[in-house]
């Protein structure tokens, strides 16, 4: 019944690895009456309190900022604010987002040096150590916590302290891992950590988050040349609260909504556990059924990447599943386009009822394309999570 209703409204069950489903209490808050956020001291307090709550959730004493624009604004702000022409920047690359940082720092005149890892598993700290013994003259390094197209999870707890031991600042893209995986920004030595509203937080797209350590602020303040951007200029934000001044009007409705989404997560507690359990059960269902996972190890709790059976096209599977069953999963891009599809079980998506419906729809879709299965994915999943098939 529910699925039919969704179908008739033409709103699919959203199971992409971002944007994710937004809970009703978050959508309602977004519609609240608004004040002028540039002029209202109460809003400055609300903004600051929201930043502090987020910092505490991410286990950091670093300043945390909420920027307007989706995830890329956080990435661009970090690159624009840290990079000066001629800087050598180490790009840790074992996926599409990892690779992308090379282009981003080049925009600001850096010389990117790429450390390439295998695509189907986490970066090896041992190989990185060997690399750094030969060459460690970098201002900062970029690392992706979960590289979303493959879902590979990199071990920040090993990698960041290693980089720090060579005096290299660490810039971490945690856009798709925040909420799904634990993050200990201070304990792990992360100088700049970046997130976004539309992934694990399950808030609408439109906000980006950055934490900036004191060491990172010092590096930014010691630049010889000004930050070559206005919109992506982190130092402009540093004293917003003392000065009661924002560099641009904050999107107040989005920030209200984000706060409600964050409060949902804080109230729930244990979001990591929920993600782990769901992710593990999805992998089991995939393997038992005879499909294969893209990764060989180091799976993130937020997304599962599945290899497309021989002879089929991933993008066509995604379309067919949406049209026939009203469930939208993720296709892919870059070298994974067509070959790997993804179930985004992050944030509100990571609920048994949604994931089981998704697995059922995926199996029916593939069966209609003449793929046979060794097991019923929905049943395996539900058995694993301790629920019976309805
Ligand atoms: C989603 C995402 C971003 C932000 O990109 P979008 O333009 O919002 O898709 C950045 N990094 C990672 C790892 C992401 O998953």
């Amino acid at each position: 019944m529910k699925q039919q209703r969704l179908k008739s409204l033409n709103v699919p069950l959203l199971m992409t690895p971002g944007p994710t489903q937004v809970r009703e209490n978050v959508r309602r808050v977004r519609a609240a009456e608004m004040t002028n956020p540039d002029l209202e001291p109460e809003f400055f307090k609300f903004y600051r309190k929201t930043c502090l709550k987020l910092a505490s959730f991410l286990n950091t004493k670093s300043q945390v900022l909420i920027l307007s624009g989706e995830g890329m604004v956080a990435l661009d702000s970090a690159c624009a604010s840290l990079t000066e022409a001629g800087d050598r920047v180490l790009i840790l690359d074992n996926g599409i987002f990892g690779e992308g940082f090379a282009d981003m720092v080049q925009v600001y005149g850096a010389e990117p040096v790429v450390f390439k890892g295998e695509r189907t598993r986490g970066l090896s700290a041992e190989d990185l150590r060997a690399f750094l013994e030969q060459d460690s003259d970098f201002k900062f390094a970029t690392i992706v916590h979960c590289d979303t197209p493959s879902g590979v999870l990199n071990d920040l707890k090993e990698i960041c302290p290693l980089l720090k031991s060579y005096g290299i600042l660490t810039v971490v893209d945690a856009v798709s891992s925040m909420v799904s995986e634990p993050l200990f920004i201070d304990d792990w030595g992360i100088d700049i950590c970046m997130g976004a509203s539309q992934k694990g937080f399950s808030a609408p797209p439109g906000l980006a988050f950055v934490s900036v350590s004191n060491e990172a602020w010092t590096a930014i303040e010691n630049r010889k040349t000004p930050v070559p951007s206005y919109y992506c200029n982190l130092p402009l934000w540093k004293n917003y609260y003392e000065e009661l001044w924002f560099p641009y009007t904050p999107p107040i409705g989005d920030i209200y909504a984000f706060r409600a989404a964050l409060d949902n997560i804080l109230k729930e507690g244990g979001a990591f556990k929920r993600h782990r359990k769901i992710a593990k059960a999805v992998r089991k269902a995939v393997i038992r059924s005879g499909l294969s996972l893209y990764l060989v190890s180091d799976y993130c709790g937020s997304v599962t990447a599945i290899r497309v059976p021989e002879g089929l096209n991933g993008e066509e599977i995604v379309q067919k599943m949406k049209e026939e069953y009203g469930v939208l999963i993720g296709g892919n891009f870059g070298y994974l386009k067509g070959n790997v599809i993804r179930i985004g079980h992050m944030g509100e998506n990571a609920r048994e009822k949604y994931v089981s419906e998704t697995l059922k729809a995926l199996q029916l879709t593939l069966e209609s394309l003449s793929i046979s299965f060794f097991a019923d994915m929905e049943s395996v999943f539900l058995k694993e999570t301790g629920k019976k098939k309805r």
Side-chain angles (χ1 to χ4, degrees), residues 1-295:
M1 266 319 280
K2 188 171 171 220
Q3 195 173 307
Q4 274 173 7
R5 187 177 61 83
L6 287 170
K7 244 179 127 169
S8 69
L9 287 172
N10 214 13
V11 176
L13 176 66
L14 190 56
M15 292 300 290
T16 52
T20 52
Q21 297 175 45
V22 180
R23 215 195 268 184
E24 189 179 356
N25 73 346
V26 174
R27 283 184 272 124
R28 281 184 188 279
V29 167
R30 197 168 183 228
E33 252 192 297
M34 289 166 205
T35 180
N36 182 331
D38 289 317
L39 301 178
E40 183 56 77
E42 284 305 313
F43 181 76
F44 281 86
K45 278 191 197 151
F46 180 88
Y47 175 96
R48 181 165 177 270
K49 182 75 196 290
T50 307
C51 292
L52 289 171
K53 274 192 173 198
L54 179 55
S56 152
F57 176 66
L58 300 173
N59 303 294
T60 184
K61 294 196 165 57
S62 290
Q63 185 173 18
V64 169
L65 297 164
I66 300 174
L67 307 174
S68 171
E70 54 68 64
M72 299 314 286
V73 158
L75 276 52
D76 204 14
S77 296
C79 293
S81 301
L82 273 178
T83 313
E84 285 189 90
D87 282 344
R88 296 181 81 234
V89 177
L90 180 61
I91 310 291
L92 302 193
D93 164 22
N94 62 333
I96 289 170
F97 280 97
E99 193 172 30
F101 271 106
D103 291 339
M104 241 181 292
V105 298
Q106 250 171 334
V107 168
Y108 301 106
E111 180 200 326
V113 175
V114 178
F115 170 80
K116 244 187 186 353
E118 282 176 54
R119 312 266 116 179
T120 54
R121 64 174 78 228
L123 290 162
S124 153
E126 225 171 286
D127 291 353
L128 179 61
R129 189 186 301 277
F131 178 94
L132 290 169
E133 271 167 24
Q134 303 299 316
D135 185 4
S136 61
D137 177 23
F138 302 104
K139 181 170 186 180
F140 66 95
T142 62
I143 312 119
V144 181
H145 193 198
C146 167
D147 209 303
T148 331
S150 68
V152 70
L153 185 71
N154 286 313
D155 187 356
L156 299 178
K157 190 158 111 228
E158 288 284 321
I159 293 168
C160 294
L162 175 59
L163 291 162
K164 296 293 287 178
S165 73
Y166 283 88
I168 301 167
L169 292 169
T170 54
V171 173
V172 171
D173 174 350
V175 173
S176 67
S177 59
M178 250 180 215
V179 182
S180 309
E181 291 288 337
L183 264 170
F184 290 88
I185 291 182
D186 291 354
D187 288 355
W188 295 352
I190 302 173
D191 288 298
I192 295 193
C193 190
M194 305 167 292
S197 53
Q198 83 277 21
K199 305 253 165 124
F201 290 106
S202 272
L207 298 178
F209 317 120
V210 270
S211 72
V212 187
S213 70
N214 288 333
E215 239 182 284
W217 277 131
T218 303
I220 292 169
E221 282 159 6
N222 288 342
R223 294 175 61 101
K224 293 179 197 78
T225 53
V227 175
S229 173
Y230 186 86
Y231 204 77
C232 292
N233 185 323
L234 291 175
L236 288 183
W237 287 85
K238 193 171 182 217
N239 298 317
Y240 75 91
Y241 191 66
E242 291 75 10
E243 295 165 4
L244 294 184
W245 179 81
F246 288 121
Y248 48 76
T249 303
I252 177 169
D254 287 342
I255 293 171
Y256 282 161
F258 169 66
R259 172 68 168 269
L262 178 61
D263 284 340
N264 281 342
I265 292 156
L266 297 175
K267 194 165 156 212
E268 174 191 359
F272 312 131
K273 264 199 202 147
R274 168 165 57 90
H275 283 85
R276 286 239 162 111
K277 183 173 159 191
I278 295 266
K280 192 165 164 238
V282 169
R283 292 198 295 274
K284 191 142 208 176
V286 167
I287 292 167
R288 283 272 170 83
S289 75
L291 294 175
S292 4
L293 300 169
Y294 175 70
L295 296 175

Side-chain angles (χ1 to χ4, degrees), residues 364-382:
L364 289 170
T365 305
L366 290 173
E367 279 170 350
S368 75
L369 293 165
S370 303
I371 301 297
S372 42
F373 283 75
F374 297 130
D376 178 60
M377 288 203 287
E378 186 190 19
S379 305
V380 175
F381 172 80
L382 289 172

